[in-house]
Amino acid sequence: MAFTLRFAAASDVGKVRSNNQDSAYAGRHLAIVADGMGGHVGGDVASASTVLDLVHLDQETTEDVETVLPDEIQAANSILNELVSANPKLSGMGTTVTALLLTGDTFQYAHIGDSRAYRLKDGKFTQMSRDHTFVQRLVEEGRLSPAEAENHPHKNVLLRVLGDSDASPELDIHQFPVSPGERWMLCSDGLNAVVSDPVIEQIVRGTKDLQETADDLVQVTLDNGSPDNVTVVVVEVVEDDDQPMTTPFVSLEPAADPEESVDTGMLQRITGSEDIEASAAIIRHEMNNRPHALVGSALLATQTGHIPMVTTRSAQKRAAALLMHKTPTQQAEVLEHHEEQQAPRRRLLIPIFLTLMGLLLASVLWFGYVWTQTQYYVGNYDGRVAIFNGVSQDLGPVKLSQLDSVTDIPLDALPAYTQQRIKSSLPSRDLEHAQDMVSELLVTARRSCPVVVPGEDKDEKDVAAKLPSYCLEADDE
């Protein structure tokens, strides 16, 4: 049995904020809510970029179904880092993401942040997401009660988000089998911050029309003051009978022949430059090929190009994909034209690049070698403790260390553990530190030396002469 989704979405800026930093998308196979943060210049960019980079998943996915959603979210995180690199004013921006991807008879679920997912199935209404907040961690550790968490001054401090970080985001990932009639509601924290779970459940249960459900949840949030943006996506699993969808969806441009609205020239212009007007057109064109609901900052970016860096980056991906989906003859023409334009530049760039890389590699190797010669370590030389200048590793045939001095301390006079450490080499900060380490090893070695008591042995000098050199004090030698 094949399944698809009925869907609806709604969003509002709220009673206090001046701009909407939330973004959301819902379609026949995909639902996403993203709540951006990072100030006036960052939150809307983060949420819109993430949502627009994921909407291409709204299709019947047949390959890598269990990994495609988290992989694409990781890729969206990389794009956020690229945007920050291009515009440092966006530094510190981030976004939550809660997403469902319908693959066959299973929901692929991925979540990070404090946006939420609720499920109504078999008569049971359940919160399926876990808030990645400081307060939620205190609750889970038993250091705070749920009631105390509601009024905690740091309840909105997030521990995990997508955004301005090179580290791979840690996502909550699950798979849930689906059945006809079950409903899911995804929302930004603007909803649950002012509306209790029982009220949310009552609306999700009691409203048959999905768009009315989404609108009612937004409205009750506004009625309660709504200090934050609020965004809601509602989806319902139905059997796929290939019938037209009855749920309303957002149309981003007037109906037109898709092949007439975007031509090869426009696609090439988008992939090779930052043509914002063309970029917005290609996103609208691609989105119009499927029923969907798009709200918040993502909708603003596609309609007006108001967030040009998001519009351009997302459009370049779509333009490249559309170029590759043309007929073989069209693809050949595009590739041939592209090769003709790029060939002279490539012939010049390749030798320059190789030369620069060679110089860079030589510089790195030289400075690396010079650095090794400022290092010291204590090691083993023919069974005795010795000080070496350099590092204990070799680089192929090149030795990166040389003997500095050898002591009289035999390794077998030291404890077995210490012997192993010396054979593996003991790094030091500098030569003085290495000499201090040798002095400590000498003290340890002398603990195994025979004891000579002055005056008790008439052959005391003969006994001392027979002692190993490391057992003698400086004035005895």
Side-chain angles (χ1 to χ4, degrees):
M1 181 185 299
F3 297 102
T4 188
L5 299 177
R6 295 176 59 244
F7 54 85
S11 183
D12 196 279
V13 70
K15 298 288 189 178
V16 175
R17 299 292 180 90
S18 60
N19 70 322
N20 194 346
Q21 299 190 359
D22 290 355
S23 294
Y25 175 92
R28 301 189 69 180
H29 300 89
L30 179 69
I32 316 164
V33 165
D35 182 354
M37 64 211 67
H40 184 77
V41 297
D44 53 352
V45 173
S47 69
S49 173
T50 300
V51 167
L52 292 175
D53 282 317
L54 295 176
V55 296
H56 69 279
L57 295 176
D58 186 14
Q59 57 184 321
E60 293 184 10
T61 304
T62 57
E63 297 181 359
D64 303 323
V65 293
E66 294 185 359
T67 60
V68 64
L69 181 58
D71 285 350
E72 289 296 325
I73 292 177
Q74 297 279 3
N77 184 68
S78 298
I79 291 173
L80 293 183
N81 286 307
E82 291 178 12
L83 294 177
V84 172
S85 297
N87 186 351
K89 291 182 179 180
L90 299 176
S91 180
M93 74 174 179
T95 184
T96 69
V97 176
T98 303
L100 289 171
L101 177 63
L102 180 62
T103 59
D105 59 356
T106 304
F107 265 137
Q108 309 298 329
Y109 165 91
H111 166 75
I112 187 169
D114 64 350
S115 295
R116 288 190 176 179
Y118 296 85
R119 181 179 70 177
L120 177 60
K121 184 174 183 178
D122 298 328
K124 186 177 181 180
F125 186 77
T126 310
Q127 179 181 333
M128 305 300 290
S129 60
R130 169 179 170 265
D131 294 346
H132 297 147
T133 60
F134 172 70
V135 168
Q136 180 61 31
R137 175 175 289 183
L138 295 181
V139 172
E140 293 170 354
E141 293 175 352
R143 297 161 61 186
L144 205 65
S145 69
E148 292 171 328
E150 287 298 320
N151 299 311
H152 196 279
H154 303 305
K155 63 180 296 185
N156 294 323
V157 175
L158 293 171
L159 300 180
R160 288 194 245 162
V161 292
L162 294 191
D164 182 12
S165 172
D166 291 332
S168 297
E170 183 181 353
L171 304 170
D172 288 348
I173 302 169
H174 299 287
Q175 289 79 41
F176 299 107
V178 304
S179 58
E182 72 175 84
R183 281 188 178 186
W184 286 70
M185 191 276 288
L186 313 183
C187 65
S188 61
D189 68 333
L191 173 66
N192 54 270
V194 296
V195 182
S196 65
D197 282 5
V199 174
I200 294 174
E201 178 180 356
Q202 180 182 2
I203 295 174
V204 174
R205 282 183 182 275
T207 310
K208 184 176 181 180
D209 180 77
L210 297 186
Q211 191 60 54
E212 185 178 350
T213 302
D215 291 340
D216 286 353
L217 289 170
V218 170
Q219 187 57 51
V220 73
T221 306
L222 296 174
D223 292 343
N224 287 338
S226 187
D228 196 0
N229 309 144
V230 55
T231 299
V232 174
V233 167
V234 186
V235 297
E236 181 177 318
V237 179
V238 296
E239 296 182 22
D240 187 3
D241 54 5
D242 292 327
Q243 296 297 318
M245 298 293 292
T246 57
T247 305
F249 66 92
V250 178
S251 177
L252 299 182
E253 64 178 0
D257 183 348
E259 295 302 325
E260 292 180 359
S261 58
V262 177
D263 58 18
T264 300
M266 178 180 288
L267 296 178
Q268 291 174 334
R269 204 163 71 243
I270 293 167
T271 56
S273 65
E274 296 186 356
D275 189 325
I276 296 174
E277 182 178 350
S279 297
I282 190 62
I283 294 179
R284 291 195 295 269
H285 162 80
E286 196 267 348
M287 300 277 280
N288 273 336
N289 289 333
R290 66 170 72 96
H292 69 278
L294 185 70
V295 295
S297 293
L299 176 60
L300 184 64
T302 56
Q303 283 184 328
T304 66
H306 181 67
I307 314 177
M309 65 200 70
V310 173
T311 305
T312 302
R313 184 61 183 83
S314 298
Q316 287 174 342
K317 291 177 62 176
R318 280 153 181 76
L322 286 173
L323 281 172
M324 296 308 296
H325 282 85
K326 287 182 171 292
T327 66
T329 301
Q330 290 174 317
Q331 285 189 33
E333 292 174 353
V334 171
L335 292 175
E336 182 180 356
H337 178 69
H338 183 72
E339 287 294 328
E340 290 176 355
Q341 290 183 328
Q342 296 298 320
R345 181 182 301 176
R346 189 181 298 114
R347 283 194 296 268
L348 180 62
L349 288 178
I350 290 177
I352 294 176
F353 174 77
L354 293 177
T355 301
L356 291 176
M357 290 302 296
L359 292 173
L360 178 62
L361 178 60
S363 299
V364 170
L365 291 176
W366 169 251
F367 284 110
Y369 176 77
V370 171
W371 174 83
T372 64
Q373 301 312 295
T374 66
Q375 305 301 300
Y376 289 86
Y377 68 92
V378 177
N380 170 39
Y381 180 80
D382 289 341
R384 290 179 294 170
V385 176
I387 297 176
F388 293 84
N389 174 213
V391 294
S392 59
Q393 294 81 14
D394 293 334
L395 188 61
V398 180
K399 296 188 66 66
L400 299 179
S401 65
Q402 57 189 0
L403 184 65
D404 181 83
S405 60
V406 183
T407 72
D408 294 331
I409 307 171
L411 255 63
D412 55 13
L414 299 170
Y417 173 70
T418 304
Q419 294 182 39
Q420 293 176 359
R421 294 184 63 198
I422 292 174
K423 290 178 180 178
S424 300
S425 79
L426 295 173
S428 63
R429 294 187 298 272
D430 49 35
L431 178 59
E432 183 179 355
H433 184 211
Q435 292 170 341
D436 291 341
M437 294 168 64
V438 168
S439 298
E440 293 175 3
L441 292 172
L442 178 60
V443 172
T444 301
R446 283 178 173 171
R447 293 173 185 169
S448 63
C449 293
V451 178
V452 179
V453 181
E456 291 188 1
D457 195 330
K458 60 182 180 180
D459 298 324
E460 175 184 333
K461 291 185 177 180
D462 294 337
V463 173
K466 295 178 182 179
L467 291 176
S469 59
Y470 70 89
C471 290
L472 299 176
E473 298 292 343
D475 55 0
D476 293 334
E477 297 178 352

